[in-house]
Every structure is written in structure tokens, then in C-alpha cells.
Amino acid sequence: MGARGRAVKVAAFVVAEAPRDARVVESLIERVAREKHGEGVTVDLVGPSTGYPPCFVVWRDLPKVMKDHKVKPWHGHFGGKPRAPDGGAAANALLLARAWFKQTGTQANLVVLQRDMDKQPERAEGLAQARDEGIIDASKVVRGVASPKVEAWALCAAVIDREDSELQERFDGLRAELGSDPRTISHE
């Protein structure tokens, strides 16, 4: 139950690079919601069914999913400024989310645009341009910019969680050296 004794449901429309990224996004949403509301939080990823569990849209499939839902792509600038890399793709993702909400009557608490930077930090600016354009209420749009160090810890956690005692001992040593568990404070 949430802090006030009620169940809290968070519905999120997610556009991500791959299924593992969508699962990481889902885990982070759950962690933040639990910190705010306590236990009893459920997270549902909502959106068009694209054949991936959990339900989310892969960036590379975005044009096809938009076509399937009769969503016209974004053209033009943002506030008179040229689009930064991925600005158009992010705007298209938000147009798809808005259309899907309207077509299904479903609402989400947030829309998450998760993107790897691939040595192109200007992609983060493109995501911000699309968020600030007002396609969807900007306060509901979250940019998830992948950090290679956080991803490395997530991979490490996946291996350690398999109960390999030697790896666990090594990780315990690193955790003691760092003074905290990077798997639980990666958002700090």
C-alpha cells in the first residue's frame, strides 16, 4: 500500500532502445514511486503492442508503429530553431503517444523517452526540444539518457544476482570500498 494505505498505480508510455532498456526504465520508475509513495506501487508500461514484453515502443520501429496508428511525422523546427539530433524522432514518439492516448482513451502518468547517447551528447538536446514543444504536457515527459557507468553496474548486478559466491565476494569488496551499493543509488 502507498503511504496513505492505498495502492498506487503508475502508467508509463515508454520509447526505448531495446527490451532490457525498457525493463531498466520500469525498475527505475518503480524505485522512484516507492520512495515517494511507499509499498503498494505497481508500474504498468502502456502503449501500442509491438510484440515486446514489457509493452513499449522501440525507436527503430517508431516509423512503422506511427504508420499503423495513422500518425503523421513531425516536420519543421522547434521554436524557430533547427532540430538537434533525435529531436524529430522524439517529437514523433510524443505524437504517437498523444494519438495512442486519444485512440484508446488511456492516460499515462508519464511518457519516458529513453535513448543511448552513442557518443552524441547533442541527442539529449533533441529530446529536450521535443519535450518543450508542447506536444504533450512537458511535466509528464521524462528524458532517460543512458549512462555507460550505470549500465555497467546493472550488468554487474544481473551477474551477481545469480548467487555466484566468488562474484558476490568481489562485489562486496567494491561496495565496501565505495561506501555504498551502486545498484541502489545509481540515480544519485
Side-chain angles (χ1 to χ4, degrees), residues 15 59 62 66 74 83 86-94 113 115 127 130:
V15 183
W59 285 102
L62 187 58
M66 290 179 66
W74 179 268
R83 293 184 285 189
D86 281 351
N92 286 338
L94 295 175
L113 305 175
R115 194 69 165 141
L127 298 179

Side-chain angles (χ1 to χ4, degrees), residues 55-94:
C55 187
F56 75 103
V57 177
V58 178
W59 285 102
R60 73 173 175 271
D61 296 343
L62 187 58
K64 180 191 179 314
V65 178
M66 290 179 66
K67 185 176 180 181
D68 292 348
H69 289 271
K70 298 177 177 51
V71 178
K72 293 181 181 178
W74 179 268
H75 295 289
H77 292 75
F78 292 112
K81 295 181 181 177
R83 293 184 285 189
D86 281 351
N92 286 338
L94 295 175

Side-chain angles (χ1 to χ4, degrees), residues 25-52:
V25 166
E26 184 177 26
S27 295
L28 290 172
I29 294 168
E30 187 173 328
R31 183 188 318 169
V32 170
R34 282 199 173 136
E35 285 178 8
K36 183 174 181 178
H37 301 290
E39 294 301 315
V41 172
T42 58
V43 176
D44 290 326
L45 300 190
V46 299
S49 177
T50 58
Y52 296 101

Side-chain angles (χ1 to χ4, degrees), residues 2 14 16 22 25 42 45 51 57 59 86 89 102 121 123-126 132-133 136 143 169:
V14 175
V25 166
T42 58
L45 300 190
V57 177
W59 285 102
D86 281 351
K102 186 176 181 179
R123 283 181 165 183
E125 177 59 29
D132 296 341
E133 190 62 27
I136 288 180
R143 297 177 304 147
E169 287 176 22

